[in-house]
Amino acid sequence: MKTVLITGTSKGIGLETALKFGRAGYQVIATMRRPEAAVELKQSIKKESLDITICEMDVDSNTSVKQCMDNINQDGVFIDVLVNNAGIERHGSIEEMSIDDFQAIMNTNYLGVLRCTKALLPQMRKNKSGCIINIASVSGHIANSPLGGYAASKHALEAISEALAQELKPFNVKVAIVEPGIIKTQMAMDISTNQESIYPHSKRLAGLFKASLETPTPPSLVADKIFEVAESNDWKLRHPVGPDAEPFIAWRKTKSDEEWVDWNATNDDEWYQAVEQEFGLNAR
């Protein structure tokens, strides 16, 4: 029986991923900051008799990650698959967001992944076996306001994952990046709610997310992709997921950096018209 450790499993993509692996016969270690919040996961474990163990772990904390990993090692468990899913989102213009918010995003979305990965690397390297799947985002390719801070964390995650893949392939440890588009999660719903700003971009992106969520993509689709990557012998690095992921990435590639800046700096009417023309979404 293979064992998977998944971070951020109390809801959304992490919850669905834990259930996907559990139903497939994996031994699942589902970690989260607040195990008491995992009501839905606990109900599913009991109802379906799944081999899922819920463990407390805060990826923001060196101490918390070490304690959780030490407990796993003491039990003699080998982690075959690590899914670095835990992440947070803060959005707003760079002027209006606090430095604390920028630090929080990077601490969870980037350093949190490094903490968990580094804790398992010696074991995987020595055994010449393992798979590390990092959950990035389309925002790892596209930077636009008001998601500048979030995009920065996902760009960083993309870069470190690419370097990690180079280091670990000689040791037969696979590294993969899963890049969701707009998925129906609490994070996406928060972005879809317009917040007051002196810049127009928050309102625009809120409209784009709200329009996209009218035909929602469930987090289970991302869980399916994560499981597919873990089970596959393919060493493909990047895996966009969701109906809008590849189109968004491809659209960005058609524009020069200057065109991208100009489009995001244009007036509301031109911006909304472009979104409707390119993606058929009424973001107004």
Side-chain angles (χ1 to χ4, degrees):
M1 178 188 298
K2 289 185 177 181
T3 300
V4 57
L5 187 150
I6 309 165
T7 66
T9 55
S10 63
K11 58 186 177 181
I13 292 170
L15 167 63
E16 294 295 337
T17 303
L19 293 175
K20 179 71 179 182
F21 278 89
R23 289 164 179 160
Y26 274 71
Q27 180 183 7
V28 179
I29 301 171
T31 75
M32 62 193 71
R33 290 177 178 176
R34 296 174 52 247
E36 64 273 15
V39 176
E40 184 177 349
L41 180 56
K42 290 175 182 176
Q43 289 174 344
S44 295
I45 293 170
K46 183 177 181 181
K47 182 179 179 180
E48 302 179 42
S49 299
L50 300 174
D51 189 0
I52 300 177
T53 302
I54 296 174
C55 297
E56 180 179 351
M57 184 169 74
D58 180 357
V59 302
D60 288 1
S61 164
N62 292 336
T63 301
S64 180
V65 172
K66 184 178 186 305
Q67 182 175 349
C68 182
M69 296 300 187
D70 284 349
N71 291 339
I72 292 169
N73 290 332
Q74 286 175 4
D75 293 337
V77 177
F78 174 77
I79 304 299
D80 299 282
V81 181
L82 168 64
V83 180
N84 283 307
N85 168 74
I88 63 170
E89 182 275 324
R90 302 281 188 274
H91 62 279
S93 71
I94 293 168
E95 179 181 351
E96 293 166 306
M97 268 181 56
S98 70
I99 290 296
D100 286 345
D101 281 336
F102 284 106
Q103 289 176 329
I105 295 167
M106 292 300 294
N107 196 23
T108 300
N109 297 358
Y110 177 63
L111 294 177
V113 171
L114 286 177
R115 290 184 184 99
C116 297
T117 300
K118 286 172 67 64
L120 293 180
L121 280 183
Q123 183 189 59
M124 288 185 171
R125 177 176 48 77
K126 289 176 183 177
N127 285 277
K128 293 191 174 182
S129 176
C131 177
I132 298 170
I133 303 174
N134 293 335
I135 312 306
S137 168
V138 166
S139 289
H141 295 271
I142 300 173
N144 60 328
S145 182
L147 293 177
Y150 179 76
S153 72
K154 294 303 185 178
H155 274 67
L157 180 55
E158 291 269 348
I160 204 69
S161 299
E162 189 170 314
L164 184 67
Q166 299 164 33
E167 294 174 357
L168 294 183
K169 189 167 186 179
F171 296 96
N172 196 42
V173 177
K174 181 168 74 174
V175 175
I177 311 166
V178 171
E179 302 163 334
I182 299 176
I183 307 297
K184 188 182 179 182
T185 61
Q186 187 59 53
M187 185 181 296
M189 288 186 281
D190 289 343
I191 296 171
S192 72
T193 303
N194 185 32
Q195 64 181 38
E196 292 298 320
S197 172
I198 59 177
Y199 295 89
H201 306 85
S202 291
K203 179 184 68 176
R204 293 175 179 179
L205 204 71
L208 175 62
F209 269 68
K210 185 176 181 180
S212 179
L213 290 171
E214 289 178 1
T215 53
T217 301
S220 58
L221 187 71
V222 185
D224 290 344
K225 175 59 71 174
I226 294 168
F227 182 76
E228 176 189 319
V229 171
E231 289 284 286
S232 172
N233 292 323
D234 187 356
W235 286 70
K236 181 181 177 184
L237 180 62
R238 290 182 167 89
H239 303 265
V241 57
D244 57 7
E246 290 192 81
F248 273 139
I249 293 170
W251 185 46
R252 173 62 182 93
K253 288 180 179 178
T254 66
K255 296 181 179 296
S256 69
D257 293 338
E258 293 72 28
E259 288 171 334
W260 180 248
V261 170
D262 286 345
W263 178 70
N264 281 283
T266 192
N267 62 58
D268 282 353
D269 283 341
E270 290 185 10
W271 191 91
Y272 287 123
Q273 286 172 9
V275 169
E276 190 162 4
Q277 180 180 339
E278 295 289 341
F279 300 105
L281 294 173
N282 181 4
R284 294 181 186 273

